[in-house]
């Protein structure tokens, strides 16, 4: 190797900026070369992602922790427990599906957390890795467990479909397109090495103001989240039909463009019609829960007592197949 010539390292701030810009572009180019194709479960849609799971989780976990430090958790224990219980039930069903359908390696990416945050906003959002935040303001609209399951299913779907990675990849491509500088980029990339890519990503996030907590997904992403979410709710034993009255209640609110759950969607009528069309597919995944979901009214009842049912649990999860030999 050639000895490093220090006399050539007389750099100005402007030069450093250029190098930094080129470096980010180089990262995008590198990533474009070594990106991966992701196949979204259920819809089978293919996307080309320029960031891997470890990078996404590293970056988003940081932002998630920052968000949680600034958020005020709900003081309502009953509602908090409800969000965690319904969320966990969905997560278990989703993980079972992924495990049994060729996505077992994806399970390591999820460490589910379901939070209820003190805010009147009608909203919920998710971050990569299964970090879900529900605002108290949406509970009067969800009304019962099934309504909440539709919201949580939608948010879980964003996470499972890797919509954050898709949006981040899109931004990286835009950076690449606007900053490409020819062959010099590959030299910069080679000099720095792929290991520095995470640092460059952090840089890019800071420059573009990319934030996982209030990320705006594409309309297609939102429609896909509705689709997957409906099926996830059905898998967890919630009647998917109940998505329709839930979205009707949401549409009566008029919608707020700020809210993730309303963001960049076709009109309410189209959204509801699309869900109606998906109903036959969702019903294929639907098996009513062994223990019927109580019609919890989150914001109207404040009972903290849980009445233990004395009825014997029927284990419907294990299907015993009786072998009859017929001729
Ligand atoms: Zn959404």
């Amino acid at each position: 190797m050639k000895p490093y010539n220090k006399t050539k390292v007389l750099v100005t701030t402007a030069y450093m900026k250029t190098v930094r810009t080129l470096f980010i572009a180089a990262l995008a180019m590198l990533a474009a070369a070594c990106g991966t194709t992701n196949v979204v479960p259920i819809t089978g849609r293919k996307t080309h992602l320029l960031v891997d799971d470890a990078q996404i989780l590293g970056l988003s976990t940081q932002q998630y922790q920052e968000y949680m430090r600034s958020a005020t958790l709900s003081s309502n224990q009953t509602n908090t427990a409800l969000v965690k219980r319904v969320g966990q039930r969905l997560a278990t069903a989703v993980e079972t599906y992924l495990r049994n359908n060729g996505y077992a390696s994806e399970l390591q990416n999820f460490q589910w957390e379901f939070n209820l945050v003190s805010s009147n906003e009608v909203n919920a959002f998710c971050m990569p890795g299964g970090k879900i935040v529900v605002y108290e303001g949406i509970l009067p609209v969800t009304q019962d467990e099934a309504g909440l399951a539709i919201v949580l299913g939608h948010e879980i779907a964003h996470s499972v479909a890797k919509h954050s990675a898709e949006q981040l990849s899109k931004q990286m491509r835009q950076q690449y397109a606007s900053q490409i500088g020819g062959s010099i980029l590959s030299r910069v990339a080679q000099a720095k090495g792929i290991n520095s890519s995470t640092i460059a990503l952090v840089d890019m996030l800071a420059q573009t103001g990319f934030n996982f907590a209030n990320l705006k997904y594409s309309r297609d992403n939102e429609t896909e989240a509705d689709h997957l979410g409906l099926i996830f709710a059905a898998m967890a034993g919630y009647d998917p039909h109940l998505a329709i009255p839930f979205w009707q209640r949401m549409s009566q609110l008029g919608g707020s463009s700020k809210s993730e759950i309303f963001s960049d969607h076709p009109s309410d009528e189209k959204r509801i019609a699309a869900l109606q069309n998906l109903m036959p597919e969702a019903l294929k995944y639907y098996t009513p829960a062994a223990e019927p979901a109580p019609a919890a009214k989150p914001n109207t009842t404040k009972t903290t007592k849980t009445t233990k049912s004395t009825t014997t649990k029927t284990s419907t999860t294990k299907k015993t197949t009786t072998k009859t030999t017929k001729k």
Side-chain angles (χ1 to χ4, degrees), residues 82 85-86 89 142-150 238 293-296 298:
L82 177 77
R85 179 160 48 87
V86 176
R89 192 162 134 184
T142 56
Q143 287 190 2
D144 51 27
E145 283 205 24
L148 185 56
I150 295 302
Y238 295 104

Side-chain angles (χ1 to χ4, degrees), residues 23-86:
F23 181 32
I24 292 165
L27 161 77
M29 196 177 68
L30 256 185
C34 26
T36 53
T37 300
N38 178 55
V39 182
V40 176
I42 296 173
T43 62
R45 185 175 64 91
K46 287 181 182 169
T47 52
H48 190 69
L49 303 180
L50 304 184
V51 275
D52 63 33
D53 296 326
Q55 285 173 323
I56 280 283
L57 290 175
L59 297 167
S60 64
T61 302
Q62 237 173 4
Q63 289 189 357
Y64 172 68
Q65 286 166 349
E66 273 167 33
Y67 172 82
M68 289 311 293
R69 271 197 294 272
S70 69
T72 308
L73 289 174
S74 168
S75 58
N76 187 319
Q77 298 300 312
T78 311
N79 289 345
T80 300
L82 177 77
V83 168
K84 289 185 190 299
R85 179 160 48 87
V86 176

Side-chain angles (χ1 to χ4, degrees), residues 154-155 158 217 222 225 260-261 263 265:
H154 176 98
E155 298 305 334
H158 279 308
Y217 301 107
E222 293 301 343
E260 194 291 306
I261 205 88
S263 67
H265 256 284

Side-chain angles (χ1 to χ4, degrees), residues 7 33 52 80-81 110 125 128 134 140-141 154 162 183 201 210 219 225 232 242 244 256 270 277 279 320-321:
T7 56
D52 63 33
T80 300
F110 299 110
F125 70 84
V134 175
V141 193
H154 176 98
K162 303 191 185 191
S183 62
L201 265 176
F210 190 97
R219 180 170 286 191
F232 291 163
L242 295 172
I244 306 301
S256 123
K270 279 187 180 168
N277 287 337
M279 211 51 75
T320 48
T321 48

